[in-house]
Each structure stands twice: as C-alpha cells, then as structure tokens.
C-alpha cells in the first residue's frame, strides 16, 4: 500500500468516525433537551402566575439534576442569601449564563462536523483520483474495470462527506432551535424566582425573544 492509498483510506476512517460522533451527539443532546424542557415546563407550572408572582415549587422537584432545576435551586439560594435587588439581578445573570453554556455545550462539535465532512470527502476524492492515475501510468489501460473502480471509490468519498454534512446540518438546526427554546425557559424561570411582576418579566424577556428572532432571520 502506497502513501496516497493510505491517506485515502484514512479520510474514509475519519468520515466514518465523524458520522458516529455526530450520531452520538444528536442522541445525547436530544435526550438532554427533552428532559430539560420537561422539567422547565413543570417548574413553570408549579410556580404558577399568582398575583404576587412568588414561586411555589414542589420540594421533590428540586431534587432532580437537570439544568433548569439546578438553576432554580441556585437562584432560590441566592434569593435567600442576598437582599440587595441589584446584586440579586447580577447573580441571576451569572446563573443564567452558566446554564446557557451547559445548554449550548457540544453543539459546536456538530457544527464542525457539518463543515469538515465535505472537505474530507473532497480530499478523499482527490487522493483516489491521484491513485487511479498512478495505476494508469504504471500499467496503462489494460484493466478498464480497475480504473473505473478506482474512480468510483474516489467519487464515493465526496458523496459520503456531503451525506454526513446534510444529515448533521438538519439535526444541528433542529437542536439549535431546541437550545434557544430551553434558554428562553431558563430566563423565564429565573425571572419568576426573582419575584418580578408580570409586566417587568415581559419587558425583560423581550430582548431574549428579539435576539432569537434576529438569529433566525440571519439564517
């Protein structure tokens, strides 16, 4: 096996590994968002919309380990330990940023796979064609089937890379939407825990919705 053939095979192994990693990330993130959104919805329902807008949360619910529950637990602790409204707001923002980071975790890996897979496929195609021409130069066209097989394998690399990218892109956009929705839920939860009134909550949540709308428009 020559060096070109070796690198050609390595590009296939890299694409297969990228496909497996993408599938794992899709399943893992989907489960994360399903359980996170479910607990966030339960917390929002348990808090309700009382006139004083004070949270009323089932203690058993706070024992769960999903991101929304952890953020609410931290926010309740901060609310009990801090009396200054400005400091409480700063702590709420810090808690939200930490939760948002966890929500968006590892999506960049899927985005990288979407970008890199077609490039790996193109590299595999180029190396395959180079290897085919090398065979032609050494043995001529005495075996047309071998030449056709080499070109077919080279083109298969491009097709595989594009297929992985399309598959990953479809689920990346879907997971990005789920992440935005969960981040909105986290923001609403923290606003409710802070005890703001309904009008202030709507005003504070507006920039989040506007930012999300801008991101969708940019796509």
């Amino acid at each position: 096996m020559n060096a070109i053939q070796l690198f050609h095979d390595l590009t296939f192994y890299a694409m297969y590994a990228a496909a497996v990693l993408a599938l794992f990330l899709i399943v893992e993130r989907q489960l994360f968002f399903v359980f996170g959104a479910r607990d966030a919805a339960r917390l929002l329902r348990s808090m309700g919309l009382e006139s004083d807008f004070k949270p009323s949360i089932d203690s058993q619910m706070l024992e769960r380990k999903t991101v929304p529950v952890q953020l609410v637990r931290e926010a309740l602790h901060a609310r009990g330990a801090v009396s200054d409204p400005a400091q409480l707001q700063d702590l709420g923002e810090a808690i939200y940023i930490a939760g948002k980071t966890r929500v968006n975790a590892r999506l960049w890996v899927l985005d990288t796979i979407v970008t890199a897979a077609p490039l790996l496929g193109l590299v595999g195609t180029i190396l395959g064609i180079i290897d085919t021409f090398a065979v032609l130069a050494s043995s001529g066209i005495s075996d047309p089937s071998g030449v056709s097989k080499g070109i077919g394998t080279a083109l298969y690399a491009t097709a595989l890379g594009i297929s992985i990218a399309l598959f990953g892109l479809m689920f990346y956009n879907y997971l990005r939407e789920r992440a935005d929705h969960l981040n909105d839920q986290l923001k609403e939860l923290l606003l409710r825990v802070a005890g703001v009134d309904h009008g202030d909550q709507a005003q504070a949540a507006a920039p989040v919705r506007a930012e999300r709308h801008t991101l969708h428009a940019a796509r």
Side-chain angles (χ1 to χ4, degrees):
M1 179 182 294
N2 56 41
I4 294 178
Q5 182 64 40
L6 175 62
F7 284 118
H8 182 249
D9 292 342
L10 287 177
T11 58
F12 275 99
Y13 295 146
M15 285 189 288
Y16 292 143
V20 172
L21 179 58
L23 184 60
F24 170 78
L25 289 174
I26 289 168
V27 173
E28 186 270 336
R29 288 287 88 187
Q30 174 64 9
L31 292 175
F32 176 89
F33 292 135
V34 166
F35 289 111
R38 182 197 62 183
D39 285 352
R42 288 180 178 177
L43 285 168
L44 290 171
R45 286 196 302 268
S46 67
M47 289 181 186
L49 291 173
E50 294 86 357
S51 58
D52 58 355
F53 216 71
K54 302 297 182 182
S56 175
I57 307 172
D58 185 2
S59 59
Q60 293 183 350
M61 187 69 188
L62 292 178
E63 296 177 0
R64 300 182 63 85
K65 297 182 179 181
T66 57
V67 170
V69 175
Q70 291 179 352
L71 260 65
V72 168
R73 190 163 56 236
E74 293 175 8
L76 288 173
H77 176 74
R79 182 177 178 178
V82 177
S83 58
D84 181 51
Q87 188 177 2
L88 183 61
Q89 183 178 2
D90 291 340
L91 286 174
E93 288 294 333
I95 293 172
Y96 172 71
I97 291 172
K100 186 177 181 180
T101 301
R102 293 184 59 187
V103 170
N104 296 332
R106 291 182 288 282
L107 288 179
W108 67 269
V109 178
L110 188 58
D111 187 28
T112 301
I113 291 174
V114 169
T115 303
L119 299 178
L120 285 172
L122 182 60
V123 170
T125 296
I126 293 173
L127 292 176
I129 292 176
I130 291 174
D131 187 54
T132 301
F133 284 151
V135 172
L136 281 174
S138 61
S139 61
I141 56 173
S142 58
D143 186 12
S145 62
V147 175
S148 300
K149 181 180 179 181
I151 294 177
T153 303
L155 294 176
Y156 172 71
T158 298
L160 178 62
I162 293 175
S163 299
I164 294 172
L166 289 174
F167 177 79
L169 180 62
M170 178 178 64
F171 280 98
Y172 174 79
N173 289 334
Y174 168 73
L175 294 175
R176 183 74 266 170
E177 175 67 22
R178 294 297 302 269
D180 291 341
H181 176 67
L182 184 55
N183 283 326
D184 287 347
Q185 288 180 307
L186 296 181
K187 187 68 173 180
E188 184 176 0
L189 283 170
L190 292 176
L191 288 172
R192 291 195 183 189
V193 171
V196 299
D197 60 37
H198 189 68
D200 290 340
Q201 181 206 20
Q203 184 178 3
V208 176
R209 292 193 294 268
E211 178 185 359
R212 184 178 174 187
H213 177 73
T214 303
L215 289 174
H216 288 310
R219 292 175 189 162

